[in-house]
Amino acid sequence: MDIVTAHDRPNTPREAIEIQETLRGLVDLEDRCPQEILTVTGLDVAYDEPSGLIAAAAVTLDTSGFRVVEERTVVSRVSFPYEPGLFAFRELPPLLDALRALDHPPDLLVCDGHGLAHPRRFGLACHVGVVTGLPSIGVGKTRFIGEHDEPGRERGSRAPLLDDGEVVGAVLRTRDEVKPVYVSVGHKISLDRACREVLRLCPAFRQPETTRHADRLARDALKEVL
């Protein structure tokens, strides 16, 4: 896991946008995942606005039974202002610290957020994929950009997420009759493969098991320091 650190911490929103514009050309949209994905790391953060703290969690699961292989948390102060489209610069520094602490790189990263489904086609999933060199997916609970038709009501149904006529993701039903999630490519994976992997990671709930574990771990880490 070759983590690049030079672009972690811009000083201004303008610098952050320039970094996104520069790095988005490095996003690889080809499917370069292992043929069989054995381990997946979920990434998520929790905030405490009054204290200015952010807790980041990285949780690696095996894909055969969703057993936790390893987990790491990092709690730090938020170092970048709240700016729509620039959330990665609030969340990336502690997330990268948590990833650096893992003993083994996973086959795939799953972010609670977006990848190509971003105004500059460079959301958190793209950013973390590019700087780590690992295949990555964004799975958002809500739509950030784009328009779409409603997918079918059955698990596995999907509809393209379109922005200015470009397919930037998929609206994927992971449970029958339950609100869909928004899947977008981050790095080194195709959208079709991303959707298949997200369905595999959602055997019983709307959200992937990776996200559910990482969300809980980040919240617990934050509670421990408050």
Side-chain angles (χ1 to χ4, degrees):
M1 187 162 41
D2 183 18
I3 296 179
V4 179
T5 59
H7 300 291
D8 285 11
R9 305 170 192 267
N11 294 314
T12 66
R14 181 186 293 273
E15 286 184 11
I17 291 172
E18 290 174 352
I19 289 169
Q20 288 180 334
E21 296 283 4
T22 298
L23 294 184
R24 70 178 181 177
L26 300 178
V27 173
D28 188 343
L29 302 181
E30 297 296 323
D31 193 351
R32 304 192 193 280
C33 289
Q35 185 172 1
E36 183 178 7
I37 292 177
L38 301 178
T39 56
V40 181
T41 295
L43 301 174
D44 203 359
V45 300
Y47 291 96
D48 182 67
E49 297 296 346
S51 66
L53 293 178
I54 180 173
V59 184
T60 301
L61 306 181
D62 73 64
T63 57
S64 60
F66 304 115
R67 176 183 61 88
V68 175
V69 176
E70 56 179 329
E71 57 187 36
R72 301 289 185 270
T73 58
V74 171
V75 178
S76 61
R77 294 207 167 272
V78 174
S79 59
F80 196 80
Y82 177 94
E83 293 282 347
L86 299 176
F87 286 172
F89 295 98
R90 290 165 65 88
E91 301 181 1
L92 195 65
L95 284 173
L96 289 182
D97 286 342
L99 280 171
R100 290 184 185 100
L102 293 175
D103 292 331
H104 306 286
D107 295 326
L108 179 67
L109 300 175
V110 176
C111 300
D112 179 29
H114 302 280
L116 289 183
H118 180 275
R120 286 173 290 280
R121 307 296 187 260
F122 198 73
L124 174 64
C126 295
H127 206 146
V128 75
V130 166
V131 299
T132 62
L134 295 173
S136 59
I137 296 172
V139 184
K141 294 183 284 291
T142 58
R143 177 174 59 90
F144 182 33
I145 63 165
E147 303 293 336
H148 63 88
D149 294 331
E150 188 71 6
R153 303 302 298 175
E154 304 80 20
R155 169 181 162 87
S157 298
R158 61 190 254 201
L161 179 64
L162 301 171
D163 186 53
D164 291 333
E166 179 184 354
V167 176
V168 295
V171 187
L172 179 67
R173 192 87 62 187
T174 56
R175 301 286 294 160
D176 290 351
E177 303 292 335
V178 172
K179 287 195 302 184
V181 296
Y182 293 83
V183 179
S184 55
V185 169
H187 189 53
K188 291 185 175 179
I189 191 168
S190 67
L191 183 57
D192 283 346
R193 179 79 185 273
C195 288
R196 291 200 303 272
E197 295 301 331
V198 170
L199 280 175
R200 186 159 69 118
L201 292 169
C202 297
F205 297 95
R206 176 184 178 229
Q207 286 288 303
E209 289 299 304
T210 42
T211 301
R212 286 164 39 78
H213 278 77
D215 173 75
R216 184 165 54 246
L217 187 62
R219 292 176 188 274
D220 289 347
L222 198 55
K223 289 177 184 177
E224 289 180 4
V225 300
L226 294 177

